[in-house]
Amino acid sequence: MRTLDKHGGPAAARATRRRATPKSSARRAAPPEAGRARVRLDVDERRAQLVELGLSEFGTRTYEEVSIDLIAQTAGISKGLLYHYFPTKRAYYVACVREAAARLVARLELPSDVPPLERLQVGLDRYLEYVRAHGGAFATLMRSGAFADRELADVIDETRATLLGRLTSGMADIFPAPGTLSSPLLQIALQGWVGLAEAMSIAWVEACVAAEGARSNAPPPRADEVRDLLAQTLVAIVGNAVR
Amino acid sequence: MRTLDKHGGPAAARATRRRATPKSSARRAAPPEAGRARVRLDVDERRAQLVELGLSEFGTRTYEEVSIDLIAQTAGISKGLLYHYFPTKRAYYVACVREAAARLVARLELPSDVPPLERLQVGLDRYLEYVRAHGGAFATLMRSGAFADRELADVIDETRATLLGRLTSGMADIFPAPGTLSSPLLQIALQGWVGLAEAMSIAWVEACVAAEGARSNAPPPRADEVRDLLAQTLVAIVGNAVR
């Protein structure tokens, strides 16, 4: 378990509190003679592999249940090397949530020349695909706020703010009348709708997971039904807020 | 600071892990000769006083910033006695959230002979009054999940489930057609609407607090505007989900 551990022992991990910088001199850190039976990955690949594993593990277990030993074992690396990338379990967890959020934000980035209503529809489709692809992981990560810390709350708040900003500019294209968007009620309505989209998609993915596990008889709604309901509700709520 | 401390020293606090039972023999615990300058309260009153203080303190500061020393001082009791009621700061915090949730649930309990749409409207009025009365405390407590634990997440989940159950039976009165409520899409829609109500009311109370602090020029929406928007959105979302 220690063959790749030249730079990854606990002491080194504690000395390296910051996240390993990709493309730094650490890239070729693994001694060439070590870990013959294991796949050697560069820093970026290793980090990405660990975050993938973390997204899956934290998504299917509680934070407490996730075993760093097991993750290191699955990745085929020493626990010490894992701590080289993420100095604490909490830092590892936050990195996984940050990655999940970054993927979501990137996926929802649509060219501004797409007409606003189509942008909404395509954005919702992609959002729901993303949620579905991550299955239970999404629901667990989104509920994770409940046993995490301020840094995690910041990631979630920043993600919401980014998406809310995009939603608001999208609304400016749909309702181009000046002054409409400065309505305090509309601001609140849009924040409410983001809460609706989160809660509804979590409920949807939980229904999908329950149906897969045959824990539910009723087939879950289709993604396009959920998308249409979200889009219709946005139109209704904005229409009611600005009139 | 130790005059009332006969039953409340740190050792006693650690020995008393469970919450003090109201109406137990501990009720008359305070030694009659102690704390002349302080108001002596019975167990229930003292607990209620501490929870009130906690709701206010945790509502205006982060968890880390809340000082147990300061709360004990404000309550006019020793820190040891505070720990007699709540063995840890976390337990105190969870008790405050539990109380906030219980108050909300009690306030939203309406007689079933009130017509369903009126029940919805009155329920929303009371909900928003409650949110407004607690000002920033509500927003902070609702966001508190982000730096708390599983027990707290359970309180929040149980409260949501209780309110969702009531909402669903209310819908059964509004849409009495058999089978309507078993629609999986409607189930998801109602969970989504609960998320909307939470997010919108948090945004609203934050706008109210910002306006009070003159940190915002735009007057916040009135409670009846927010109520109407929530009610209209519920009708829209349910109508779209069941058709």
Side-chain angles (χ1 to χ4, degrees):
Chain A
M1 290 302 282
R2 298 228 149 242
T3 47
L4 283 181
D5 215 345
K6 190 175 171 187
H7 295 261
R14 272 189 292 276
T16 313
R17 303 302 294 184
R18 260 163 290 159
R19 158 181 160 182
T21 314
K23 308 192 197 325
S24 76
S25 59
R27 182 185 278 271
R28 305 283 171 230
E33 72 286 2
R36 198 166 296 129
R38 292 174 184 155
V39 179
R40 248 174 284 131
L41 302 175
D42 78 7
V43 170
D44 289 355
E45 288 168 342
R46 179 66 79 197
R47 199 175 189 282
Q49 176 208 31
L50 291 172
V51 167
E52 280 302 332
L53 277 171
L55 286 172
S56 156
E57 285 293 305
F58 287 118
T60 50
R61 298 169 215 284
T62 65
Y63 177 82
E64 290 75 19
E65 282 165 0
V66 169
S67 158
I68 290 292
D69 289 281
L70 190 66
I71 285 175
Q73 201 183 326
T74 309
I77 61 170
S78 72
K79 196 171 159 181
L81 185 57
L82 195 150
Y83 280 123
H84 174 69
Y85 289 92
F86 307 102
T88 63
K89 182 179 178 183
R90 174 52 50 97
Y92 180 42
Y93 182 64
V94 171
C96 293
V97 174
R98 202 182 289 281
E99 174 61 23
R103 288 184 192 185
L104 179 62
V105 167
R107 180 175 289 223
L108 299 185
E109 178 102 63
L110 288 164
S112 59
D113 59 350
V114 177
L117 280 173
E118 193 183 324
R119 218 151 69 211
L120 171 65
Q121 204 168 47
V122 175
L124 284 172
D125 280 338
R126 291 193 183 178
Y127 172 71
L128 293 171
E129 269 166 33
Y130 172 94
V131 168
R132 191 68 192 90
H134 288 77
F138 178 79
T140 310
L141 281 169
M142 284 306 292
R143 289 181 188 283
S144 69
F147 45 98
D149 57 14
R150 177 53 56 118
E151 199 182 354
L152 193 62
D154 288 347
V155 174
I156 294 174
D157 283 348
E158 284 160 22
T159 308
R160 276 194 194 121
T162 303
L163 297 179
L164 184 66
R166 279 199 205 152
L167 186 67
T168 306
S169 16
M171 288 300 112
D173 296 333
I174 298 177
F175 296 92
T180 303
L181 287 171
S182 60
S183 149
L185 189 59
L186 181 63
Q187 288 302 315
I188 285 166
L190 292 177
Q191 288 180 70
W193 185 83
V194 170
L196 168 85
E198 275 177 26
M200 205 189 284
S201 57
I202 289 172
W204 175 61
V205 80
E206 284 177 344
C208 293
V209 170
E212 277 165 11
R215 278 178 286 121
S216 164
N217 289 325
R222 298 187 314 273
D224 64 301
E225 292 178 301
V226 178
R227 175 204 65 200
D228 287 347
L229 191 52
L230 283 171
Q232 288 155 355
T233 309
L234 181 62
V235 170
I237 205 169
V238 171
N240 281 317
V242 299
R243 78 173 166 199
Chain B
M1 290 302 283
R2 298 229 150 241
T3 46
L4 283 180
D5 215 347
K6 188 177 173 186
H7 296 262
R14 274 189 291 276
T16 313
R17 303 301 294 184
R18 261 163 288 161
R19 157 182 161 182
T21 313
K23 306 190 197 330
S24 76
S25 59
R27 179 184 281 269
R28 304 285 171 229
E33 74 284 3
R36 199 166 296 131
R38 293 171 183 158
V39 179
R40 246 173 286 132
L41 302 175
D42 78 8
V43 171
D44 290 355
E45 288 167 342
R46 179 65 78 196
R47 200 176 188 283
Q49 177 209 29
L50 291 172
V51 167
E52 280 301 334
L53 276 172
L55 286 172
S56 155
E57 286 292 305
F58 287 118
T60 50
R61 296 169 215 283
T62 66
Y63 178 82
E64 290 75 18
E65 283 166 0
V66 169
S67 156
I68 290 292
D69 289 280
L70 189 67
I71 285 175
Q73 202 184 323
T74 310
I77 62 171
S78 72
K79 197 170 160 183
L81 185 56
L82 195 151
Y83 280 124
H84 175 69
Y85 290 93
F86 307 101
T88 62
K89 183 179 178 183
R90 173 54 49 97
Y92 180 42
Y93 182 63
V94 171
C96 292
V97 175
R98 203 181 289 281
E99 175 61 22
R103 287 185 193 185
L104 178 61
V105 167
R107 180 176 288 225
L108 299 185
E109 178 101 64
L110 289 164
S112 59
D113 59 349
V114 177
L117 281 172
E118 193 182 324
R119 218 151 68 213
L120 171 65
Q121 203 167 49
V122 175
L124 284 172
D125 280 338
R126 290 193 184 178
Y127 173 71
L128 293 171
E129 269 166 33
Y130 171 94
V131 169
R132 192 67 192 92
H134 288 76
F138 177 80
T140 311
L141 281 170
M142 284 306 292
R143 290 183 188 282
S144 68
F147 47 97
D149 57 13
R150 176 56 51 118
E151 199 183 353
L152 192 62
D154 288 346
V155 174
I156 294 174
D157 283 348
E158 284 159 23
T159 307
R160 277 194 192 121
T162 303
L163 297 179
L164 184 64
R166 277 196 206 155
L167 185 66
T168 307
S169 16
M171 289 299 112
D173 296 335
I174 298 177
F175 296 91
T180 303
L181 288 172
S182 60
S183 150
L185 190 59
L186 181 63
Q187 289 302 316
I188 285 166
L190 293 177
Q191 288 179 69
W193 185 82
V194 170
L196 168 84
E198 276 177 26
M200 204 190 284
S201 57
I202 289 171
W204 174 62
V205 81
E206 284 177 343
C208 293
V209 171
E212 276 165 13
R215 278 179 286 121
S216 163
N217 289 325
R222 298 187 314 273
D224 64 300
E225 292 178 301
V226 178
R227 175 204 64 200
D228 287 347
L229 190 53
L230 282 172
Q232 288 156 354
T233 309
L234 181 62
V235 170
I237 205 169
V238 171
N240 282 317
V242 298
R243 76 173 167 200

